[in-house]
Each structure stands twice: as structure tokens, then as C-alpha cells.
């Protein structure tokens, strides 16, 4: 057991002190592209202008022969001017032949411009402890002034079972993403889709008087339980939950629905795997004008925020003011980022 007094001490001599609060900047989309794709690397500044977070991917999706090229791509992108966008990378998993070299290169050659390292297939707090110490050693060696934060992907059953411990394993923990593809495989779920629903996962209305009449069915959200659990674990530890990938790029409607479910449950953003998903994430994870107007009316009407009153036939009180303040704070932050009036 570690004493709470020691939790914020650097884990290596010369490493920067851990952060006490996770920075909560605009995070509506984590836009993925492979670091091995030279054309995309050259377009990184243009992509960065459209997104909140740009992520150089080295893990799944990058063929084994291109892993070294993906590392070099990260180093190149880190030397570019990405404006206000955060720069993240996803390294290969800790048990892979590439994970150690990915992390080493990321910190020693890109570390001063890298905000977050995403670690896939995290199974328990021991994975975070390993990365925490390794990053401290590398940060000390690189002479970094600010610590690099860690984002874990929740994509194994053991990871889900240990989710609270993972979130609280280090002050470096920035957030979690749901990884529905690996998680489905690991759990032996019988969906072959990358995120999203499945027509077979449904509930059916009871039969009526006519036993032969068709009965309505309602498709259910396969990911509800895991996203809800992830949100609670993250909020408990002051870190940020994200929905992960939606693989059916052409089905922009279902992607928007999946993103919105995550937004409504408390996620701050989702992954975009294609430019079309950048706009979906921006739309969904930015409070819409009618929501902002309503929230402002409630806050204005509630004075010091205590008591209860009726607006448009609905009861508002101390708790609903807090709900409205969440929406207004997010709207204000995003309006500043987008350069528009809130
Ligand atoms: C993402 O990495 C996933 O496995 O869904
Ligand atoms: Mg995965």
C-alpha cells in the first residue's frame, strides 16, 4: 500500500511532479490516423485545425512491418505547429514486441509536445503502475518539464472488472475510452461490429389479444452497461470518459446515435476514424442552442440557486440548477475553442 502523502511525488529523480488536477480542455473528438501514412503525417497541421485532439496511432490498424514508420511519424508530427489541438499517441500494448520502444521513442523524441499516451488493453492497476514508473524514468532522461498523462482503453473483461482501480492507479490518469471491438472479442460477445448496436440484441413487446399479430421490437444498446460503469469510475477519480470507435463509417446516423448516448451518459468525446466523424462528434458533444437557452433561463430564474420554482410547467430546484451549470460551463468552454458566441 502506498501512503497518500507519497502519491504526488515524482517516481524518478529529476522527473516532473505529477499533476493534481487533470486539465479539462475541449475533448469532443480524438481523431485517429496512422503514423506510418506519410501523406497523412504531412497533413497533420490541417487536420489539427479541425479537431480538439489529434492522435498518432501505432497500434491496431498499423501493419507489423510499419510499426517503426509509425513511430517516426509521431516524431515528425510532434515537431509541427498543431495550434490549439492536443497531441496524443496510441502505443502498442504492453505485452507486444513494440510497446516498450513506442513509449521510449514517444517520450525521448516527442515528449515535450505530447500531451497524452493512450495505453491499449489495460487489465488492472499494475499496468498503470508499470507505465507510471517507466514514464517518470524517461521524462527525467529527456529533461521534460511537464508530465505526460496516461489514457487507458477499456477493452478486456478484466479491465472492466478492475475499472475503478485503473482510474485511481496514478495521478497521471487522464481518462478512459471504451474499446468495443477488442472488448467484444475478449468477452466472447457474438457481434462482429466495431461498436454500435446489433439487431439481435432487442426486447419484444408482449403479445396482444391477436396472438398472430406482429409484435414490435426495440433494439437495445449493447454498450450501455460498460459505458455507464466507465463514467462512474472516471468521475469518482476526476478523470474523463470517452466512447471509442464506431466502425461503420457510412452509417453516419447510427454513429451519431451511439455518440449521443455516450454524451448523455457523461462522456466528453469519442474517437473519429474518418473526417466525416469529426463533424458528428463536434455536433453531438457540443450542447445545442436550445439546451443552452433552457439552462440559462433556469440559472437566471433561480437567483442564488436554492429553492424551487416552475418554468414551462416543470419543477426546477437546486439540483437542476447544477445540471444546467454543467451544460453552460461546457458551452462556454467550447464557444471559446470554436471562436463563436456561446
Ligand atoms: C479499440 O481499440 C477497440 O478495440 O474497439
Ligand atoms: Mg482495441
Amino acid at each position: 500500500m502506498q501512503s497518500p502523502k507519497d502519491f504526488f511525488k515524482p517516481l524518478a529523480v529529476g522527473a516532473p511532479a505529477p499533476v493534481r488536477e487533470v486539465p479539462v480542455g475541449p475533448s469532443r473528438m480524438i481523431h485517429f490516423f496512422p503514423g506510418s501514412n506519410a501523406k497523412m503525417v504531412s497533413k497533420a497541421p490541417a487536420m489539427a485545425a479541425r479537431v480538439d485532439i489529434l492522435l498518432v496511432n501505432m497500434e491496431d490498424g498499423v501493419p507489423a512491418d510499419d510499426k517503426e514508420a509509425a513511430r517516426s511519424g509521431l516524431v515528425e508530427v510532434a515537431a509541427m505547429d498543431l495550434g490549439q489541438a492536443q497531441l496524443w499517441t496510441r502505443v502498442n500494448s504492453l505485452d507486444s514486441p513494440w510497446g516498450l520502444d513506442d513509449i521510449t521513442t514517444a517520450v525521448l523524441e516527442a515528449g515535450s509536445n505530447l500531451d497524452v499516451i493512450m495505453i491499449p488493453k489495460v487489465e488492472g492497476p499494475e499496468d498503470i503502475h508499470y507505465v507510471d514508473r517507466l514514464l517518470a524514468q524517461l521524462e527525467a532522461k529527456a529533461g521534460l518539464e511537464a508530465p505526460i498523462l496516461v489514457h487507458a482503453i477499456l477493452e478486456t473483461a478484466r479491465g472492466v472488472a478492475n475499472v475503478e482501480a485503473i482510474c485511481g492507479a496514478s495521478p497521471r490518469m487522464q481518462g478512459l475510452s471504451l474499446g468495443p471491438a477488442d472488448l467484444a472479442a475478449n468477452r466472447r460477445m457474438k457481434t462482429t461490429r466495431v461498436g454500435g448496436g446489433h439487431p439481435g440484441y432487442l426486447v419484444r413487446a408482449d403479445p396482444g389479444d391477436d396472438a398472430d399479430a406482429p409484435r414490435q421490437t426495440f433494439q437495445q444498446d449493447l454498450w450501455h452497461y460498460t459505458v455507464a460503469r466507465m463514467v462512474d469510475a472516471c468521475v469518482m477519480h476526476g478523470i474523463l470518459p470517452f466512447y471509442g470507435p464506431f466502425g461503420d463509417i457510412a452509417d453516419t446516423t447510427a454513429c451519431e446515435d451511439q455518440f449521443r448516448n455516450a454524451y448523455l451518459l457523461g462522456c466528453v468525446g469519442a474517437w473519429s476514424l474518418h473526417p466525416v466523424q469529426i463533424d458528428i462528434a463536434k455536433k453531438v458533444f457540443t450542447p445545442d442552442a436550445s439546451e443552452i437557452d433552457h439552462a440559462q433561463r433556469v440559472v437566471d430564474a433561480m437567483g442564488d440557486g436554492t429553492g424551487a420554482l416552475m418554468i414551462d410547467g416543470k419543477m426546477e430546484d437546486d439540483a437542476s440548477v447544477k445540471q444546467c451549470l454543467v451544460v453552460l460551463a461546457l458551452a462556454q468552454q467550447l464557444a471559446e475553442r470554436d471562436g463563436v458566441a456561446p
Side-chain angles (χ1 to χ4, degrees), residues 207-215:
D209 294 337
D210 175 1
D212 295 328
R215 289 154 60 190

Side-chain angles (χ1 to χ4, degrees), residues 59-60 90 120-121 153-155 178-183 245 271:
E59 201 223 11
D60 294 354
R90 178 171 76 166
K121 302 174 178 73
I153 314 181
L154 204 55
E155 50 187 352
L178 176 76
D182 271 302
L183 183 55
W271 299 5

Side-chain angles (χ1 to χ4, degrees), residues 23-323:
V24 186
S27 313
R28 292 163 289 186
M29 71 297 287
I30 308 171
H31 187 63
F32 271 59
F33 73 98
S36 51
N37 184 323
K39 200 164 155 207
M40 287 194 186
V41 166
S42 70
K43 289 187 179 158
M47 276 190 280
R50 292 188 56 200
V51 303
D52 294 336
I53 299 166
L54 191 64
L55 181 143
V56 180
N57 182 28
M58 308 193 206
E59 201 223 11
D60 294 354
V62 174
D65 287 347
D66 291 350
K67 296 293 187 189
E68 286 185 19
R71 261 178 233 145
S72 309
L74 169 66
V75 175
E76 253 186 84
V77 173
M80 296 171 172
D81 180 359
L82 302 178
Q84 294 185 61
Q86 295 178 50
L87 177 63
W88 294 21
T89 189
R90 178 171 76 166
V91 296
N92 285 280
S93 59
L94 300 175
D95 61 355
S96 74
W98 308 288
L100 177 62
D101 289 342
D102 290 345
I103 295 175
T104 305
T105 303
V107 181
L108 297 185
E109 297 181 44
S112 50
N113 291 325
L114 190 61
D115 296 288
V116 173
I117 294 186
M118 184 184 270
I119 308 284
K121 302 174 178 73
V122 170
E123 303 248 47
E126 66 282 0
D127 290 335
I128 302 300
H129 295 157
Y130 166 76
V131 171
D132 201 7
R133 179 79 72 174
L134 177 62
L135 287 179
Q137 291 171 328
L138 293 168
E139 287 167 348
K141 191 167 175 183
L144 298 190
E145 283 170 15
I148 296 171
L149 301 186
V150 168
H151 183 101
I153 314 181
L154 204 55
E155 50 187 352
T156 67
R158 188 154 88 80
V160 176
N162 288 326
V163 65
E164 289 86 4
I166 291 170
C167 292
S170 160
R172 272 186 210 279
M173 282 301 297
Q174 179 274 348
L176 292 185
S177 286
L178 176 76
D182 271 302
L183 183 55
N186 184 263
R187 280 176 172 161
R188 295 190 209 96
M189 292 167 72
K190 307 303 180 296
T191 169
T192 51
R193 301 173 174 203
V194 176
H198 192 290
Y201 192 70
L202 51 78
V203 291
R204 188 176 300 270
D206 287 351
D209 294 337
D210 175 1
D212 295 328
R215 289 154 60 190
Q216 214 178 341
T217 59
F218 305 89
Q219 203 172 312
Q220 307 292 294
D221 182 355
L222 276 175
W223 304 107
H224 177 266
Y225 154 76
T226 318
V227 172
R229 218 180 139 182
M230 179 179 78
V231 169
D232 281 346
C234 285
V235 175
M236 170 179 165
H237 287 284
I239 71 174
L240 308 177
F242 292 72
Y243 176 77
F246 190 90
D248 190 346
I249 307 295
D251 194 351
T252 50
T253 306
C255 176
E256 182 171 332
D257 293 339
Q258 182 77 65
F259 284 8
R260 185 164 291 104
N261 288 350
Y263 169 73
L264 290 170
L265 276 179
C267 289
V268 297
W271 299 5
S272 51
L273 305 180
H274 184 278
V276 76
Q277 294 184 340
I278 295 175
D279 296 327
I280 299 173
K282 191 166 178 182
K283 174 177 169 198
V284 170
F285 290 97
T286 309
D288 68 34
S290 62
E291 222 178 345
I292 299 171
D293 282 353
H294 172 75
Q296 193 63 60
R297 273 180 77 202
V298 173
V299 169
D300 291 346
M302 281 290 291
D304 72 356
T306 66
L309 48 78
M310 299 293 282
I311 297 182
D312 299 338
K314 298 188 185 93
M315 189 280 300
E316 307 290 347
D317 69 358
D318 311 46
S320 63
V321 167
K322 289 180 197 150
Q323 291 171 268

